[in-house]
Amino acid sequence: MDLAAPMAVDPEADELSFFPLLYWPLVAMPELSDGAAARLKAYLRRGGLILFDGRDAGADMAGLAERLDLPRLIPMPPDHVLSRSYYLLREAVGRFAGGTVWIEETGEGDNDGVPTVVAGNHDWAGAWAVDDALQPLLPVVPGGERQREMALRFGVNLLMVALTGNYKADQVHLPTILERLRQ
Amino acid sequence: MKALLSESLVFAPLLPWPLLAGAGLLAAGLLVLAARQGLRGTAWRAVAGMGLFLALLDPRLLRETREARPDVALVMVDDSPSQAARREATEAALREVEARLGRLPDLEVRILRSDGGGEGTRLFRPLAEALASIPPGRFAGAVLITDGQVHDRPEAPLPGPLQVLLTGRPGEIDRRLVLEQAPAYGIVGGEVAIRFRVDEAGAKERSDQPVQVRVSSEGRPAGVMTVRVGEAARFVLPVEHAGPTVAELEVEALPGEASARNNRAAVAVNGVRDRLKVLLVSGQPHPGERTWRNLLKSDPQVDLVHFTILRPPHKQEFTPVDELALIAFPVRELFENRLKDFHLVVFDRYVLRQVMTYDHLVNLVAFVRGGGAVLAAVGPEYAGPESLANSLLKEILPALPKGGAPAGGFRPAPTDLGRRHPVTALPGAETWGRWLRHVPALPEGDAQVLLQGPDSDPLLVLAHLDKGRTAILLSDHVWLWARGFEGGGPHGELMRRLTHWLMKEPDLEEEALAARVEKGRLLVERRSLGEGVAAVVVTLPSGETRELPLGKPDGGRASAAMAADQPGLYRIGDGEKTAFAASGIVNSLEDADLRATDERLRPLAAGVAWAAEGIPAFSRVVPGREAAGRGWMGLVRNRAEVVTGMRQVPLLPGLMLLALVLLPLAAAWRREGR
């Protein structure tokens, strides 16, 4: 995958359908208009994915959840496709480690088992940020550069899920599928 | 009509009877008194009294002219299908009956014909309807000319005798083929069992010899079975393709049997595919991949195997293997061993990166030519150096790149051909959202372009290749429709139809001739992208052919219908394609027993005779007496009459009255006075 530079998105004006993934840092922000809320809801319904990142405790997650009709979130189970869609990850980390990553609870049928919402308090963007010389901007706590690498891998995995869906989860069943084909 | 004259004496009393009687008694009493007292002139007074009494009674002479009205006899001819083999004998019998009844005086003969009504032979219902139009008291009787296989009874007893004249001969025999179990569906590639039996009726001894039953499938011979009469037998029919497979079974005729019509039966078995197996190979992660995945996973008929190249071979990856969740793309397993297990292979933005060898490509081409299908959904890489078009696959791809992959918005639109093709005949094309890039290409050979992009560049191209099919979608932006960009478009329906067309779903065939029998009618539908034909040729089970004109085509579809009352296989041809339809158990009541018989009607009829033994003589009989006997049949004579004129002549005109009353009174008065 070749990634372009991240783009700021205004849900009022921009076409959301171009973006496989939206990163939403939870900071204090003005109230969403009805139009923006409607567009965001449609985005989620049609296969979009939003990563909510609580950098500090200052954001009103509950209010946002209601405005956008967000689904119920559960803690990410250890063998979830997000931990193995490209890299094998034992835990999900950002600039901060520890803490839970929350995902939408999905059955296998709906949306190919892909969560539309992922949330956590890990400041992923902080770990990913680089300057023009591609040098990292912010220190990662407590794991240092190894942890930054893991944070980057989490991002790649997330993007893979956004683009390939539950593909990796299928792979576990591959031998059975191939066997069933023979019949 | 003869006119009859009748005369009778009637009274028209001027006073009500009781009053008259009372007055009479009074007068009589007075006279008796007078006589006792020796009054002279009593006798004269008595005469006067009687005269007055008579005057009060007003006797008249009634003269009526009457006309005799003729009776009506009904002749009902059985034209039902069971009589098919006896038409000549029936007509001959009818002519003779008409002639004989015509010789009887005062008899109106009405001839009715009935085809039985379709479910068995029902003659009594039309007979009752005809009876309703005959004035009461003028029904002479009904004569049925039939084979005796009548399946209804009169609702009310007939007001006259029922005479039955049977066509055919006593003691007929009939052999027939009975379908015991015929499944309606079968899995493609599998087989179904048809259970049947041969019955014989009327023969004194059942044929001991085994009989032959010929089986054909879609007009071609499929086998000959030898079975014993009365025993169940089983024929195994292979189901080779989706859609209806029509088989016909026919047992050899028994010499001298009443009819061979019911020796045949046909069965239509609908072939359904068990599961449609699709291999999706994605060349790189991209938003469209989710769309393909979602589409194929949500199709209940599809079993999907999906592989994505997550990391191209040329990109270095410094992560240790045990931290990666990548597996080797099992190219050998899929493209060497398992390819024939799939029905469709979809290449989703796939480029060749020395992953597939030349032999794999050879296998893929053979797979398509042998009946498989390939769909290429391509993006800008199709115009690049590693494109699928730069390999052996260019032999099977329906469109090859011109060069370049411009970005630019456009609205996908159906071509003229696309509007008629079942895959792209979708409404609302003006409202579809735009796509933002495509790959310009040139269609190969007689590939069909169904959707187009900017500058009439093809967008969706389909092709047939030997027994297989290929298709190419020259843009990777169908996911914009899924995401609802500018309102989106029917991505789900379009892709579903495309994949199912590639896997030969019969309902999506662009050139198709289909036929089926429903409720006794043969329905034919022809779908075509080209010119329609005016008519199709239908071959009936009996072998006779008939031309059936088709209705006006509507969007490439034209249809027609005709009655299908013969059991067996109908073959329909339009010059290029052939379709088959089965009429198996249409009129089972009618075809169950084709022998002529007297058993059904004898309890209802006054007289039953076999036409073959001689048409009986007809005569008029008195109602209530015997109406049939050896060699003769009777029709009652009701002697119905109608009064056409009436005259009353009074017998005691005024003058006579005067004389009868006054003179005796005068005489009495004189006598008394002496």
Side-chain angles (χ1 to χ4, degrees), chain A residues 83-89 153 156-157 168, chain B residues 311 317-327:
Chain A
S83 59
R84 48 194 174 83
S85 58
Y86 189 86
Y87 293 103
L88 287 169
L89 296 178
R153 290 185 184 184
V156 170
N157 272 17
K168 267 305 169 190
Chain B
R311 188 192 68 187
E317 175 67 63
F318 294 108
T319 321
V321 161
D322 62 349
E323 290 174 19
L324 284 173
L326 300 179
I327 60 166

Side-chain angles (χ1 to χ4, degrees), chain B residues 332-349:
Chain B
R332 217 175 116 193
E333 173 121 28
L334 291 175
F335 290 99
E336 252 175 62
N337 308 328
R338 304 287 199 138
L339 199 53
K340 58 181 169 5
D341 291 334
F342 291 102
H343 297 109
L344 170 65
V345 177
V346 181
F347 286 108
D348 170 33
R349 293 200 71 185

Side-chain angles (χ1 to χ4, degrees), chain A residues 1-2 15-20 43 46-48 84-88 108 111-112 114 146 150 153 160-168 170-171 174 177-183, chain B residues 277 285-287 289-290 293-294 297 303-311 315 317 319-327 330 333-334 338 341-342 436 479-480 482-486:
Chain A
M1 279 182 308
D2 295 315
E15 178 60 53
L16 293 175
S17 51
F18 295 152
F19 300 100
Y43 171 76
R46 293 205 182 104
R84 48 194 174 83
S85 58
Y86 189 86
Y87 293 103
L88 287 169
E108 213 188 280
N111 203 22
D112 187 25
V114 172
R146 179 87 182 138
M150 293 302 148
R153 290 185 184 184
M160 277 299 177
V161 170
L163 294 178
T164 69
N166 223 1
Y167 169 60
K168 267 305 169 190
D170 274 357
Q171 297 298 313
L174 187 61
I177 295 179
L178 284 179
E179 188 53 46
R180 212 164 20 121
L181 268 195
R182 233 195 238 142
Q183 285 142 22
Chain B
K277 298 174 181 148
H286 72 112
E289 187 176 341
R290 290 281 300 280
R293 223 184 123 75
N294 287 349
K297 284 208 117 188
D303 272 344
L304 175 67
V305 173
H306 182 194
F307 281 99
T308 312
I309 309 291
L310 290 177
R311 188 192 68 187
K315 256 205 186 154
E317 175 67 63
T319 321
V321 161
D322 62 349
E323 290 174 19
L324 284 173
L326 300 179
I327 60 166
E333 173 121 28
L334 291 175
R338 304 287 199 138
D341 291 334
F342 291 102
L436 299 175
W479 61 271
L480 284 175
R483 290 292 183 85
F485 175 61
E486 289 188 354

Side-chain angles (χ1 to χ4, degrees), chain B residues 490-509:
Chain B
H491 73 285
E493 185 58 17
L494 180 63
M495 293 304 125
R496 186 195 70 80
R497 290 188 193 187
L498 180 59
T499 50
H500 283 253
W501 178 85
L502 284 164
M503 295 189 282
K504 302 194 182 108
E505 182 173 305
D507 281 344
L508 290 169
E509 291 301 290

Side-chain angles (χ1 to χ4, degrees), chain B residues 617-656:
Chain B
F618 288 95
S619 57
R620 307 300 299 274
V621 294
V622 173
R625 302 288 269 314
E626 233 184 71
R630 266 174 89 87
W632 69 274
M633 287 180 171
L635 298 164
V636 301
R637 170 174 245 132
N638 289 304
R639 295 190 183 282
E641 288 166 336
V642 149
V643 175
T644 52
M646 194 162 84
R647 243 169 35 108
Q648 285 184 343
V649 179
L651 290 173
L652 280 183
L655 237 54
M656 252 186 81

